[in-house]
Structure formats: C-alpha cells, structure tokens
Amino acid sequence: MGVNNSSWRNCTKTLILRGALSLGIATAAFGMAAVPALALEASEIGSAKAYSAYNFASEDDVIRLQTASKVLPAQYDLRDKGVVTPVKFQNPWGTCWGFSAIAASETSMLSEMGQTYAETSMDYSERQLAYFAAKHLSLGEEGDSYNNQAGEGVYNALTETDCIEDPETAEGLLGYPLENALFNQGGLPSYATSVFSDGIGPLPESMAPYQNDEGQLEWNKAYWSPYGTWSLSEELRAKSAAALEESFVLPTPATFDENGDYVYNEFATAAMKEQAYQGRALSIAFCADESMPGQVSENAYMNPDTWSHYTYEPESANHAVTIVGWDDDYPKENFNAEHQPPADGAWIVKNSWGAASNEFPNQNAWGNEGYFYLSYYDQTIVIVEAFGYDIDGRETDKNGEFIANQYDYMTIDYSTCEAYDDRASTANVFVAEDAQELTSLSCETSQPGTTVTYEVYRLVEGEGPADGELVTKIEETYEYGGYHLVSIPEADRAKARFAKGEQFCAVIANAAGAGLEGQDESVLGAYGDAAGVSAWARPAVAWAVESGVISGVEQADGSRTLDAGRALTRAEMAAMMVNAVDAGVLALAQE
C-alpha cells in the first residue's frame, strides 16, 4: 500500500494537537507545571507502580548491598568534596526536572575529572536540555540531515498556533508567548537520559544561557522574563561537551505492596548512598509542598523552621531535585510534629529555587541556602537516577563529526519490563549514509541484574537481521536499569567499517536477572542450625556459602553453624568483605 509519509504525519499531528489543546491551556492557566504521565495516573501510587520495573526483583539483587549498607558512613556530603555546583533559580519556568538532571550531571562529571567546581566553574545549560526535549526535529527541507526523520519528536499543542483559534486570549491566560510554552510543559529528570543519549547535549551554559535573548527581566527584576526569545537555533541540537555513557536508574525506597500499603526498602537507600559515595549526585522526583516557587502549600510536608520535608502519604510526584548527601542521625523530631517519619535519617537535597546569598539571576531566599532535608521514609520518592559520562566527549572522525544511527527521536521517561520464558531480542537494520566506522552500541534496561548481548551483523540485501556476517558480539550484565553505552572492542574495529550504502544490523538481546530461585540449598545441610534460616533467605545464604563469602562458625566439637539470627561483629563483617573480594563478587572502590 502506498502512503504519503508527509501527509500521514501532518494529519496525525493535527489530531493529537487538537485533542491536547484544551488540557494544555487549562493546565497552564492555573500556573502549574504539567507533568506528562504522572499527572494522568489513576491513583496516588500510580507513579511508583509505573517505575516498579526498576525495583529489586529477588533477594539476590540485594546480597552485595547488605554488606554495603553496613560499611557506608553515617554522614556524607558531596559539598565537602567541592564537586557540587552552585544552587540555581529555575524561574520563570517549570523546568525543575532539567535543573535536577543538570546538577546531578555536573557533580558526576567533576568527580570523574577529579576536579572541583572552584577549579573549573563548570556550568551546563538547562535551556538546551529543556528546549530540545520538548521540540521535535526541524521539518527542514528535502535533503537536510534528518532525511525522512524530519519532524520526529515531541509536539506541544500550545506552540502550534494553527490549532489555536484565539492565540491572543491563550497568551493572556498563560502569561507568556505561545512559542515559549515548551519551557513550561513540565517533565521528568529521566527525560535528560533520553535527550543526552540522542547525542543532544550537555552543552556549556555560555552557549545557551538560561535567559531570553533580549535580556528582558520580570517585573520585580528578580529573574528573567518569560517574554522575549527563549527558542534556540537548530544548530545547537547536536552539540555536546560530554557523552552520556551510562545512567543508573536505581530502585526506590518508597515501594507499595499488593494492598497499596507503603513499604520502606532499606536496600534501595543503600544503593542510593553507594552512588553518592562514588561521587554521583542523584536526580529524584517526589511530591513537594509546592511544585514551583511561590505556590501556596495546602499540606504540612515541609517544616520551614528546619527546612525538613516528609511526604507522609502516597502522592504523585510534582517536583524534581538533586540529592548530594545524607545523614543517618538527622532527628525525626525536626520534621513537622503532626506527621513525623518512623525513624531518624534524611537526604541532603539541592533545590533549584535559588539561594539568599547568590547573585542575580540565582538569588532567592529559600531553604538553607537553597538546600533542605528529605526523610529517608518519604513515601513519594521515585525516578532515582545517577549519570555517568565520558568526559572526553564522543568518539569522532578526523573532522570532529560523529553519526548517530537511530530511528526514534521521541523523548521518553522510562522503560518497562516484560516477563519472557526466554531472552527477548530486538533488531534494527541501518543503511550507512556515508562511509563510517561503528564505535559504540547502546540500549536501555529496567530490571536490576539484566544481562544484555549486543551483536552487529554485516548484511547483504534480502538477509534477515542475524543472517549476515557477525562483526562483533559483546555481553554485559547491568546491576541497575538505565541507559548503557558500550564501545566496540578494538579487535573488531576494522570489521566494523561500512561503506556508503552498506547495510548492517544491531541485535540487542535482554535476559533479566535469573534470581536464585534455582539455587541448590543442599550446601546448608553441613550446618547444624540450617533449619533456623528463614525460607526467604535460604537461597541467598546457600549462594553465599557456595561462593565462599561465608563459612559459618566453628564450634568446640568441630561442627559448624550459621548463627543466622545473630548480629555480626566488625571483625566478622571485614572477613566477609575480604571473602567476597576474593570470590570476585565484590569490587574494591578506587579513590
């Protein structure tokens, strides 16, 4: 069947835009930052359920974290390392998600570089991220660099003035020009993963500063005006100063059982601490008292006397921030007396609502110089993500150019996990638009412990995805979900060169962590008290014995026991860690 691609695209776009228009104006008229997906959840725990695929699936996912949670310090603050960039002020837009992701990225890059903010003045552009996350590829002209992918991406109903009968009235309701509505449509920190993995940014702030081009100020001169030119040249879309190498979408501490009751996951907290301890700040979403500066709160989640926040009930996330440290001993009494968390402990959180001591445009008296404490037990923490970058940038040719072979430029916020009896595979066939050398492959996963097999085949016309010449095969296991980039081994680089017009195929096969359901528990028979090991823990304990991580306690008569219910001494914990390193199941961190 013959289909006019341009006509089909335009008709579909018109239907989508007209259907979304009334919702867009209604949302914007109330001054809210609309959050796609989250705002439409059927229940308060909908957002937590949407991201449950990233949570631990079985006991073996947390074996290593059981040790990590015991040895991490009680207090840790990345600001003490000098790798946290200054607090910024997101006004006039609802771009908290972009500020959260950029702040986390900056800290991660400084840690990777082994340098401080004082040494580098590192500053990346939230404007570039927010704009291109919400702006589709240019429709362009025939023969442009997007070819038949021109127009792909996100469309905002408010920016398509041909769908709005009375643009002047719409702008009056919004309080800013329609073309700037891209910056106020809301989003999620994970949008940054989608954008950066496309080869879009991050870009230095100096190349796309967070202001209108005309330098217009808001009426009170406290921040930049939403009027003026905020759009960016299409030439800035494919520019970047670093390459996203991996994102770590961690399990969330806030989980819910089959009855919808809140269940705190201490090992998710340990995973978050571990990432921060390795120098990566964490981008998170949660339900705040207010989703934008100046909103009046109807809840009692925040104690403004101590700047301590605790959402004590299931709610959909409405704000994004950046975790830069923790304090296990932060008193629960510092939270509002009417609703206090069940125990001490809080995250140290960087917001994007300015700080009193900052200079324009980032000056605004909020929090403890722009920071606050968030309880470990907040019931709305979701989308916990850290970022890893190749600070040398993308691998390019001698002209400083790289080619991104992909078929989809739609911004997405998360991946789902489907159950299969066997591994699941997907394939994309590409035609080299120019002579090129394939340097890397990428994919996204969700479930912790997923093993991914990457294969590349050279094809001749008419061959199936895996029928051609195998160029390279790579297998990786990822502890957490997220975006993953792997480099083609040097030994295969010569085979990974393709002439213009040549076909090649990338096959990605995912096999979620198998768990310990099939673990042989017979090794526990050597211990006299094996019957006392809880049923849920037996596969994990059997694995630990079989791997040499634990060997039990020798008794006077020469027999050995597990003493599963007894607290460990520091000496025993240290011995277990050494055993785990020797067994190859625990890696030593490098300072």
Side-chain angles (χ1 to χ4, degrees), residues 347-361:
W347 301 108
I348 302 168
V349 185
K350 176 184 178 182
N351 205 349
S352 55
W353 293 347
S357 64
N358 283 356
E359 297 181 354
F360 177 87

Side-chain angles (χ1 to χ4, degrees), residues 100 125 199 226 324 328 367 379 410 440 465 557:
S100 170
S125 174
V324 300
D328 288 346
Q379 296 191 23
M410 180 69 74
S440 57
D557 61 359

Side-chain angles (χ1 to χ4, degrees), residues 16-29:
I16 294 173
L17 292 175
R18 291 189 182 279
L21 179 59
S22 58
L23 174 63
I25 290 182
T27 301

